[in-house]
Amino acid sequence: MEVRIIDQDELDSLLALNEDHFNDVKSKRINPSKLQETFVAFANSDGGDLYIGIEDKSERGERVIGFGEQEDANALLSTLLEETNPAVENVLIEFLEVEGKGLLLHFGIPKSPKVHYTASGDCYIRINASKRKIKGDRITQLGYSKGAEPYERRALDNVDIEDIVEGELLSKYMCRVGTHLEPEAFLRKQRLLTKKDGERVPNVGSILLFDDEPQATLETRCAVKVYRLRTTEIEYRREQLEEMPVTINGDVESVIEKTVNQVSKYIDGASFQDAGKIVKLNYPSEALKEILVNAVIHRDYSLNDDVHVRVFDNRVEVQSPGKLPGYMTLENLYDERFSRNPNVVRMLHNLPDPVNHDIGEGLDTAKNELKKAGLVDPIFDEKENAFIVTIKHQKLASIEDVILQYFSENPDSSISNKLVRQLSGEDDMQKVKLALQKLRAAGEIKLEDENASAFNYRYIKVKG
């Protein structure tokens, strides 16, 4: 079995590793059957890396206590490789030699197309930094989500492997994660090369991460298009575009960064005019970022379409190709976890200060940030072959509270039904009309011009 000597820099990276959806460290003293539960959970979920011989961060004193020799790990190897049912295929196994501290055992576990069980017949999945035992229908759902190899693993024989191996993007990535492997060996161990006709060639995931122009290399479209639309209507016309849509190309990490910047630029100018007055809309930047990151990393790259981000006067719509993957539904989005592109997600997540949270946490963050900003939860929808997230500039407060808050901040201004709808995010004109009538009856507001037609009604605050 391969033994690789690692230096202090690589050891420090392992010791700094945070246990999460894709990484875990265990003591060499762990019971083989307990370790098998984690092993099975990784294989049943999105794969990951498991290191044996490192004590938990809470342990005082020396954390690296490796095996004296390879044979000392035989019980663990036998349980994981021979007693897991069915056996997990294509597992990377290597010993990492640490001077004076023995051997660490490293398992690189792929996302498996099968459902796996421990020797005792239990089934586990990985949820962020922990494992969860599942039963019955949940196992059936997991089975439905398996079977086909992820599109990100598809081999591309029109790409010269040297273009990736010698590229600047891969070199910078390897430097950031602190590995001293040879580039081709690194790609192979990260499952970013796929065998075709007996040779290992770059796959879709490798191109998305490390090709300078994936949009030119891949057969399908994989850019992001960002629109600024001066309207609140559901359907929009070409003349309502503030400018031609901005197309964002590049490797997946830079596409995310440039998309976030472009949308932020449009959001900073999100406003509308009412009676000659500019009314500005504010969205929490962290919520927007999480939605945009999810759209790029979890989209279906086999579909010939881009991610579309539309910034309207009263909402932001993010449309990504592909319906929800696996067993995910609109009802369980906040509770379940599933990655369509596990290698891409894992590689980004392993970077220092990654753009993506653990799987599923991004949506929770977006929801919480919107709530803190006083806005309603994001709206999820599936349409044809796309998943759409809408962030509405709709207040959690009642329509009446929105009106009174407006007058509190603008005591000498007037307000119309249209302005209330834009401020509150409530699309129903009749609901807004009733709220205005209720405040008028309560003596809080009055008509600015009693002789105005109903269509031109504007209201002012009654002075106390």
Side-chain angles (χ1 to χ4, degrees), residues 218-442:
L218 297 180
E219 297 174 356
T220 57
R221 287 151 58 187
C222 58
V224 176
K225 290 188 182 297
V226 185
Y227 310 68
R228 177 64 176 106
L229 293 149
R230 289 294 182 179
T231 181
T232 61
E233 301 301 320
I234 294 175
E235 300 293 334
Y236 66 89
R237 301 184 302 277
R238 186 179 182 86
E239 56 265 28
Q240 291 169 325
L241 281 167
E242 184 171 75
E243 60 185 32
M244 291 301 295
V246 176
T247 301
I248 297 173
N249 296 308
D251 64 280
V252 68
E253 187 181 12
S254 64
V255 161
I256 289 171
E257 181 182 353
K258 288 187 282 188
T259 299
V260 170
N261 290 339
Q262 183 62 43
V263 173
S264 297
K265 174 184 170 185
Y266 281 153
I267 293 302
D268 285 343
S271 61
F272 55 86
Q273 274 200 337
D274 180 77
K277 179 178 177 142
I278 297 294
V279 180
K280 185 172 172 55
L281 303 182
N282 293 302
Y283 296 87
S285 59
E286 192 63 23
L288 287 165
K289 176 191 170 187
E290 297 301 338
I291 298 296
L292 295 171
V293 168
N294 272 3
V296 174
I297 66 177
H298 294 308
R299 61 151 293 175
D300 187 343
Y301 281 97
S302 71
L303 297 177
N304 192 28
D305 196 4
D306 299 315
V307 172
H308 299 272
V309 183
R310 303 179 182 94
V311 180
F312 291 84
D313 279 341
N314 65 343
R315 68 190 185 279
V316 179
E317 290 181 359
V318 182
Q319 177 179 318
S320 55
K323 290 190 175 182
L324 290 168
Y327 47 78
M328 298 301 296
T329 66
L330 295 175
E331 289 71 35
N332 68 12
L333 274 171
Y334 290 112
D335 302 315
E336 299 293 346
R337 306 290 185 263
F338 191 96
S339 174
R340 180 183 272 120
N341 307 300
N343 273 4
V344 170
V345 173
R346 176 177 54 83
M347 294 294 287
L348 291 173
H349 185 74
N350 285 343
L351 286 167
D353 192 23
V355 294
N356 54 325
H357 289 287
D358 275 337
I359 293 175
E361 286 190 356
L363 290 181
D364 288 329
T365 298
K367 180 180 179 180
N368 292 335
E369 290 298 316
L370 287 167
K371 184 176 182 180
K372 283 192 284 187
L375 299 177
V376 297
D377 293 346
I379 299 168
F380 307 116
D381 192 20
E382 287 183 301
K383 188 175 180 181
E384 296 175 351
N385 211 5
F387 177 62
I388 303 170
V389 182
T390 302
I391 303 175
K392 296 183 70 175
H393 202 280
Q394 182 171 346
K395 299 288 188 180
L396 285 168
S398 68
I399 301 173
E400 291 92 332
D401 286 340
V402 170
I403 296 168
L404 293 176
Q405 177 66 29
Y406 176 78
F407 280 122
S408 174
E409 297 170 357
N410 306 275
D412 298 321
S413 294
S414 62
I415 200 167
S416 64
N417 187 298
K418 179 181 178 182
L419 178 54
V420 175
R421 280 181 280 133
Q422 289 173 317
L423 291 172
S424 66
E426 175 55 65
D427 296 324
D428 192 323
M429 185 184 298
Q430 190 62 26
K431 285 185 180 180
V432 173
K433 178 182 177 181
L434 291 173
L436 288 165
Q437 289 176 343
K438 182 178 177 181
L439 288 175
R440 185 181 178 189

Side-chain angles (χ1 to χ4, degrees), residues 185-200:
F186 177 77
L187 291 173
R188 177 172 57 82
K189 291 191 175 186
Q190 298 301 330
R191 298 179 285 281
L192 293 170
L193 299 178
T194 298
K195 272 192 175 181
K196 185 170 185 180
D197 300 329
E199 293 187 8
R200 294 187 185 276

Side-chain angles (χ1 to χ4, degrees), residues 5-190:
I5 299 173
I6 64 173
D7 61 17
Q8 189 61 45
D9 287 343
E10 193 163 354
L11 178 60
D12 289 342
S13 295
L14 292 178
L15 292 175
L17 201 64
N18 289 318
E19 296 182 0
D20 54 36
H21 191 74
F22 296 106
N23 299 283
D24 209 343
V25 299
K26 298 294 183 185
S27 167
K28 73 168 186 177
R29 299 188 299 273
I30 189 171
N31 185 296
S33 62
K34 292 299 293 182
L35 184 65
Q36 189 182 36
E37 294 173 1
T38 299
F39 181 78
V40 163
F42 274 129
N44 281 337
S45 301
D46 296 305
D49 291 285
L50 181 57
Y51 298 89
I52 318 302
I54 300 177
E55 304 292 325
D56 189 81
K57 284 185 176 181
S58 62
E59 186 75 17
R60 295 181 178 179
E62 179 59 58
R63 291 183 58 207
V64 181
I65 305 175
F67 298 95
E69 52 189 37
Q70 292 188 35
E71 287 72 17
D72 295 342
N74 283 347
L76 292 177
L77 288 165
S78 175
T79 300
L80 270 57
L81 301 182
E82 298 174 15
E83 297 181 26
T84 300
N85 182 33
V88 181
E89 300 175 356
N90 302 315
V91 179
L92 165 70
I93 308 168
E94 62 178 350
F95 283 98
L96 308 176
E97 184 175 344
V98 182
E99 185 177 357
K101 298 180 181 179
L103 300 169
L104 305 179
L105 178 56
H106 171 217
F107 292 94
I109 308 160
K111 176 179 180 176
S112 175
K114 302 174 182 178
V115 176
H116 298 275
Y117 300 82
T118 64
S120 59
D122 294 322
C123 186
Y124 291 85
I125 58 173
R126 186 82 174 173
I127 300 292
N128 297 332
S130 62
K131 61 181 183 288
R132 180 189 296 174
K133 185 176 178 178
I134 60 173
K135 298 179 181 180
D137 289 345
R138 189 65 183 78
I139 295 177
T140 302
Q141 290 178 332
L142 179 64
Y144 287 153
S145 73
K146 301 280 188 175
E149 186 173 65
Y151 184 76
E152 65 172 5
R153 296 287 301 278
R154 181 183 178 185
L156 297 173
D157 53 9
N158 64 331
V159 182
D160 192 332
I161 190 171
E162 278 72 28
D163 291 342
I164 303 299
V165 168
E166 298 172 4
E168 185 178 0
L169 285 171
L170 177 59
S171 176
K172 285 183 176 179
Y173 181 96
M174 293 177 64
C175 181
R176 290 162 70 191
V177 298
T179 179
H180 299 292
L181 289 171
E182 291 299 314
E184 188 167 340
F186 177 77
L187 291 173
R188 177 172 57 82
K189 291 191 175 186
Q190 298 301 330

